[in-house]
Amino acid sequence: METDYINQHKRNLVYALFCCLLLTACSWGTQRPEKASSQAEEPEIFPDYRDVTVPVNISPLNFRLTREADHQYVLITGEKGGRLECDGQRSLRFDPDAWRKLLEENAGSSLTLTCSSREAGGWKTWKSFQIHVDERPIDSHLVYRLIEPGYEKWHIVGIYQRDLESFDEKTIIRNDMTGYNCINCHSFCMNDPNRMMLHMRAVHDGTYIIRGKEIERLKTKTKQTISNLTYPYWHPSGKYITTSVNDIKQFFHAVKEKKMEVFDLESDVVVYDVEQHKILSAASLITKDAFETFPAFSLDGKWLYFCSAPAREMPADYDKVRYHICRVAFDAGKGALQLPVDTLVRADSLSYTFPRISPDGRFLMYTETAYGQFPVWHKDAEIRMLELETRQPVDMTLLNSADTESYHSWSSQSDWVVFSSRRDNGLYTLPYICRIQADGRPAKPFLLPQEDSEKYDYQLYSYNLPELVTGEVTISPYAIQQRAHEGPTTQVAFE
């Protein structure tokens, strides 16, 4: 009898809930603008997705009008057909399935967006703008580190992956699983999510190399090198990793216009043999009269690119250090460099760092700043590009902003890049995606979309080292955690 009463009570609750949902659903109808006054200006929106070029497989570009309004509305029509409308009080969120269908239907053409806002004086409809849909998809996942933009210490640091076709974000590893240590410098071989490396500093320190389900933990400081491995880049074969070794220091400015400087007391470039567990002396650049750092292989594996500056007295001459971008031939069969060194971008009055070669071998992208090799703290830092065959610069004006642009990485097909920028508030580094056209010219970049366009207002973390990969990183965070806490550590040799 008691059981029957409980079951009946549950049925009554379910029925009541159904009725409430039904009544609520009836009031959910789209609020379209009525008797709206037409405005001559385009709407101010965040993120600014006006006239951007996006890949056909990107997640919905949810945004909000930045005006004071009690309701917002947008109508999207496709050049090849289809339409989508959306409204909301604080922001505009598109149905993912409808968005995906609209983009696929209009690949290679444009969408026209017409926004309206209901304000104190009634509805206003703003001048329409377009979003261009490129038929070339972007690699499906983006990997980044989220870190508080502090200077002296950190609390939670994690490396995450984001599905660019949805809003699904997953943890690769977080430092609250490994003793609140520092986790940094993740890198992938040829955009392959199954071949990855990262460093842990302090507790459970070491370089972790992940190949499929196998995780190696390495001790990489040797008597012949000045530090553990630092800034890495994989050889396309997966057999080698080139990396700098750096004695890194920092200091803080006393003026509000500048925050801090990161510099090297000394630095070298080495090549690590993944299979033999040794640093190759014949493939390393170890000198006392120059600072070498930020190495990268070409995607055919035949060239080793790096940054080099004449050694100076540090920190006294911190603002006089200027880095060239150089390259030297690399013989993968012998594991050796072949001189001479070729200087591609000469540092006369500026400094150049972060060389990254497009997978098709056509372009060299790099960062320009007034001095030094760590431009993330430099407001003047911008991204530049060189066509390698002609050694002619490409106009990158449309990609850059009035604030810091720094780290960047290519997609596997050389048609998209992701880069770090502080253009939105000057404090937090956020990831922007940009189409690189066949002639190398950039389209207008766009901020990584979020399900909630206000997320960037309340998530007080910087996105560090954004890297595009062709699929999901499948290694479990718990597997990395277990490897950090247990198992042997291999000491790297120098030969």
Side-chain angles (χ1 to χ4, degrees):
M1 185 70 178
E2 184 176 343
T3 302
D4 292 339
Y5 173 80
I6 292 174
N7 289 337
Q8 181 61 44
H9 184 62
K10 289 181 178 178
R11 285 193 291 269
N12 290 341
L13 286 175
V14 171
Y15 179 75
L17 179 61
F18 173 78
C19 290
C20 289
L21 289 173
L22 185 63
L23 290 171
T24 306
C26 293
S27 65
W28 279 355
T30 302
Q31 296 189 39
R32 300 178 178 87
E34 298 178 353
K35 300 179 180 179
S37 60
S38 298
Q39 307 299 305
E41 303 86 13
E42 291 182 356
E44 294 294 327
I45 65 173
F46 182 83
D48 182 8
Y49 292 141
R50 296 172 299 178
D51 298 309
V52 299
T53 297
V54 302
V56 67
N57 61 329
I58 196 68
S59 58
L61 268 62
N62 297 335
F63 65 89
R64 68 180 186 272
L65 278 68
T66 58
R67 300 179 60 84
E68 289 289 335
D70 59 33
H71 212 77
Q72 306 176 12
Y73 169 88
V74 62
L75 171 65
I76 308 179
T77 56
E79 184 179 347
K80 294 181 178 178
R83 57 180 278 147
L84 177 61
E85 58 181 342
C86 180
D87 71 320
Q89 289 185 325
R90 296 177 60 88
S91 60
L92 299 165
R93 301 189 186 191
F94 301 105
D95 176 80
D97 292 333
W99 173 267
R100 186 179 303 108
K101 182 176 183 296
L102 187 65
L103 261 61
E104 290 174 352
E105 189 175 354
N106 288 277
S109 61
S110 297
L111 308 176
T112 298
L113 290 80
T114 305
C115 296
S116 300
S117 57
R118 190 173 64 198
E119 305 175 15
W123 282 98
K124 293 181 179 180
T125 296
W126 302 91
K127 182 180 178 181
S128 300
F129 63 90
Q130 290 188 318
I131 292 175
H132 310 286
V133 184
D134 197 282
E135 67 274 12
R136 302 198 69 168
I138 193 170
D139 293 337
S140 65
H141 284 70
L142 182 67
V143 175
Y144 42 82
R145 182 172 70 152
L146 290 179
I147 185 170
E148 297 156 322
Y151 315 123
E152 308 89 1
K153 62 180 181 179
W154 62 86
H155 179 48
I156 298 295
V157 177
I159 299 177
Y160 301 83
Q161 60 181 328
R162 162 71 186 276
D163 185 343
L164 293 179
E165 299 178 359
S166 71
F167 299 110
D168 186 23
E169 183 183 78
K170 294 181 179 179
T171 301
I172 295 175
I173 185 64
R174 277 172 43 130
N175 71 340
D176 54 349
M177 303 173 69
T178 54
Y180 293 93
N181 57 359
C182 181
I183 299 175
N184 61 12
C185 295
H186 55 275
S187 177
F188 295 88
C189 180
M190 299 285 288
N191 307 87
D192 182 353
N194 295 308
R195 289 191 290 180
M196 175 187 181
M197 70 160 290
L198 57 91
H199 303 308
M200 292 191 194
R201 312 295 189 189
V203 184
H204 310 301
D205 64 313
T207 292
Y208 292 73
I209 295 181
I210 300 168
R211 291 182 288 178
K213 300 299 181 183
E214 176 188 344
I215 307 175
E216 285 187 309
R217 180 181 172 187
L218 308 173
K219 293 286 188 182
T220 60
K221 174 69 174 71
T222 71
K223 292 180 179 180
Q224 295 85 355
T225 52
I226 61 177
S227 74
N228 291 300
L229 303 184
T230 309
Y231 305 125
Y233 196 96
W234 289 74
H235 190 268
S237 67
K239 182 180 179 181
Y240 305 106
I241 297 173
T242 182
T243 173
S244 61
V245 287
N246 309 66
D247 185 1
I248 302 171
K249 305 297 180 183
Q250 66 182 28
F251 67 81
F252 304 93
H253 289 282
V255 295
K256 66 179 181 179
E257 290 79 15
K258 296 183 178 181
K259 294 182 176 66
M260 67 176 296
E261 295 293 342
V262 177
F263 62 92
D264 292 332
L265 286 179
E266 55 180 325
S267 59
D268 299 308
V269 164
V270 301
V271 172
Y272 171 68
D273 187 318
V274 176
E275 298 172 357
Q276 299 297 319
H277 297 110
K278 61 185 180 182
I279 296 171
L280 305 175
S281 59
S284 298
L285 297 160
I286 299 177
T287 62
K288 291 297 183 182
D289 60 351
F291 299 153
E292 299 98 354
T293 192
F294 290 122
F297 283 113
S298 61
L299 273 294
D300 61 7
K302 297 179 180 179
W303 294 96
L304 174 62
Y305 291 76
F306 62 99
C307 304
S308 179
R312 307 291 296 247
E313 182 182 353
M314 302 298 281
D317 292 340
Y318 79 94
D319 58 351
K320 297 180 178 63
V321 179
R322 292 181 173 86
Y323 286 79
H324 312 287
I325 293 182
C326 306
R327 71 177 182 180
V328 61
F330 177 70
D331 187 329
K334 297 179 180 179
L337 302 181
Q338 296 177 319
L339 298 175
V341 171
D342 181 13
T343 301
L344 287 91
V345 185
R346 183 168 296 278
D348 295 321
S349 59
L350 296 168
S351 187
Y352 305 103
T353 62
F354 294 150
R356 291 293 183 266
I357 299 82
S358 60
D360 60 12
R362 295 182 59 206
F363 299 105
L364 165 64
M365 187 174 286
Y366 54 95
T367 303
E368 173 189 280
T369 188
Y371 58 86
Q373 46 66 264
F374 209 81
V376 70
W377 297 109
H378 292 190
K379 188 178 177 68
D380 67 285
E382 295 191 335
I383 290 177
R384 302 297 184 203
M385 195 156 74
L386 192 73
E387 187 177 12
L388 284 171
E389 183 176 354
T390 63
R391 302 208 177 183
Q392 293 300 307
V394 177
D395 185 0
M396 301 297 283
T397 303
L398 199 56
L399 180 146
N400 289 299
S401 72
D403 215 309
T404 306
E405 272 73 52
S406 53
Y407 191 82
H408 45 272
S409 72
W410 288 90
S411 68
S412 61
Q413 299 300 313
S414 306
D415 41 18
W416 299 92
V417 293
V418 59
F419 65 94
S420 301
S421 179
R422 290 190 172 175
R423 66 186 63 191
D424 292 295
N425 53 37
L427 297 174
Y428 297 94
T429 301
L430 301 180
Y432 274 77
I433 298 170
C434 180
R435 171 74 165 102
I436 301 298
Q437 302 174 90
D439 60 0
R441 291 182 301 110
K444 180 181 176 180
F446 64 95
L447 180 60
L448 175 69
Q450 300 288 355
E451 187 171 17
D452 179 1
S453 62
E454 295 182 297
K455 181 174 182 177
Y456 291 116
D457 298 331
Y458 59 76
Q459 178 178 276
L460 305 182
Y461 284 82
S462 281
Y463 286 71
N464 183 248
L465 269 66
E467 289 280 349
L468 289 163
V469 290
T470 57
E472 181 179 342
V473 176
T474 57
I475 193 75
S476 166
Y478 301 105
I480 301 175
Q481 178 191 38
Q482 182 177 7
R483 190 67 184 83
H485 286 270
E486 302 173 3
T489 301
T490 301
Q491 174 61 53
V492 167
F494 184 95
E495 296 182 9

